[in-house]
Amino acid sequence: MILFAILGVLFLGSLLIMILHSYRPNTARSWVIAMITALIAWVASFVLRLYLPTQVNLITWFPGTIFKESLGFEVDYLNWPYMVAVLSMSVAALLTDTTRSDPGITPYSWAQTISITGLNLIAILAANPLTMAIAWMVTDLVELLTLVRLSKAAELGSKIVSFFSIRILSTFMLTIAASVAWQGQPFAGFEVMQPNTSLFFLIAAGLRLGVFPLNLPFLDSPELRWGAGTLFRLTPAASALVLIAHLPAGLTIFNQNLVNIVQILTLIAAFYSSLMWLTRKTNYEARLYWMVTLSAYAIQSALNGNPEASRVWGLALLLSGSLLFLFNPPIRRIRFLPMLGLLGFIGLPYTLAASGWEGLVQETLKFTSVIMIISHAFLVLGYIRHIIGAESTVTGLEKYARITFPLGLVTLIQTILVLGLVGWPGVLTIGDLRGSLGSLSLVLIGLLIGWQFGFRVEMDVLSQKIPFYRLISVVFNFFRKALSLSWVPGLVKRVYTPVAGLAGFFSQILEGDGGILWSLVFLLILSILFLAPGLR
């Protein structure tokens, strides 16, 4: 009942804002409705913690139909933290919107904020792959209809098509994986993900997260920079991360060669994206690399046989990421608030991400573990760098905005602390000290170097200080283009052009004056092939 109340209040609040603002526009009233709606759902999600695990059926199919399991929701210790995180992001986005006057921040954007939250909750709480696939399709359709209405939709046409093509491909892969699993055993929720099919589920999640392929198109529009735009980019990743957390521990016994290929791609994605996150000029430009790096950590945890460890990296992606991205305008005197977001992913003992090292660092310290420790240090350094760069001096804020803006950031910090204490049984742990201490040592070295040479180094100065900078740039540009698959459209166009020309040539022959004669010739040849004794 609580679950239906949470979803119902979100969709009802969004509908109420749309109706009231259409007839009697009132910005303050719309914001209050959205705020009350999000707060009710957020508080109710903590109450739901008392009833874990719980399951709710939606539709039960008739006996003998193709589907053996009903559509429904399930709340457990794997997806409940994601539920709380997404609702916290919604509350924080609404609170921080009070300081902005961007053209995309309107009552309709607030309605979109809570409706997008509700749609993604359906996918996060899905009890089986079928329910999740349907939720993915509905969510993607709503996002597509929203994006085509943006001010820069005409300029972003090809990027939108490419973006949602990969989304559709991920849903298609999820459906195929579920279908293959159904052939081998009776369908029983996410328990269907046995080692023989779990790798396909992992690829479906990787497609949706942007790790396969790396560097999905980064949709750029004024309406998508902050607030609802942050939710547009981050919340769709939550359901894919839940899918990874449900994977079985014996994933690597399926096909070790194929697993090794996926692992290599994941390592490259993590290292490259963390380095790009560290070196980008603004956190808006680097936001995609934050998502890809932490998504790669989640996938790597599953490949190392500890998919539950992916949960903390997914929460770090959502909570610590939104804490930094919603810190706009970056007011200098409250920079300590986003700095507390480090507690969500730094991985020190008895913090939220401490158990995550058990998924990244193997028992025997291998090359893959070292790469992950280095990339994590880059991630922490980049986070600190983007906060240090916040030097805006904002004046003229309304009195209520001076309260609501930091309160939105505090909401996310509070969620990080609460989940770090009661998120799931065994959340308080020391973790793997090799990973946490190794990363912290590299971070301290990086901070000393940054303090020595200055934290803000322009790219032209950087090229003079780093040896072989031009060669390194060429190598990274090659990997970026290869892994992002940006060369695929050009290749398809090169193949399509001659094929289309050949087809046009034959079409011109058949439609010309001698078309009937050529048709008779082809018919005669086909008759000879079918009637010849030696070819029967």
Side-chain angles (χ1 to χ4, degrees), residues 131-258:
T131 307
M132 182 174 286
I134 295 174
W136 280 7
M137 288 187 288
V138 174
T139 303
D140 293 344
L141 179 61
V142 172
E143 289 188 13
L144 177 60
L145 295 177
T146 303
L147 289 175
V148 296
R149 298 174 56 189
L150 297 178
S151 60
K152 289 188 176 183
E155 303 175 14
L156 298 170
S158 60
K159 291 186 177 181
I160 291 176
V161 171
S162 177
F163 182 79
F164 282 97
S165 296
I166 295 178
R167 286 282 188 87
I168 293 172
L169 182 60
S170 68
T171 305
F172 182 68
M173 180 62 71
L174 176 63
T175 307
I176 290 178
S179 301
V180 173
W182 286 340
Q183 295 177 359
Q185 63 177 19
F187 184 77
F190 283 105
E191 296 176 2
V192 72
M193 294 193 295
Q194 298 301 315
N196 61 334
T197 58
S198 54
L199 190 62
F200 299 109
F201 285 103
L202 183 64
I203 293 175
L207 286 169
R208 195 168 184 83
L209 291 170
V211 180
F212 316 125
L214 175 63
N215 195 14
L216 290 177
F218 201 51
L219 303 179
D220 186 13
S221 185
E223 298 90 342
L224 286 179
R225 286 186 173 270
W226 319 111
T230 301
L231 298 183
F232 259 110
R233 289 187 172 90
L234 296 184
T235 52
S239 57
L241 292 165
V242 170
L243 182 63
I244 293 175
H246 278 103
L247 290 172
L251 174 66
T252 55
I253 67 174
F254 167 57
N255 188 323
Q256 187 62 48
N257 293 330
L258 188 57

Side-chain angles (χ1 to χ4, degrees), residues 279-280 457-464 469:
T279 57
R280 294 304 90 185
V457 182
E458 300 297 332
M459 294 305 295
D460 54 348
V461 178
L462 193 64
S463 61
Q464 300 174 5
Y469 177 82

Side-chain angles (χ1 to χ4, degrees), residues 31 39 120 123 170 266 403 425-426 532:
W31 183 84
L39 281 174
N120 282 280
S170 68
T266 305
I403 299 175

Side-chain angles (χ1 to χ4, degrees), residues 48-56 74-79:
L48 193 61
R49 171 67 172 79
L50 302 175
Y51 302 94
L52 297 184
T54 183
Q55 190 168 1
V56 179
E74 183 177 7
V75 188
D76 54 24
Y77 292 109
L78 292 178
N79 57 14

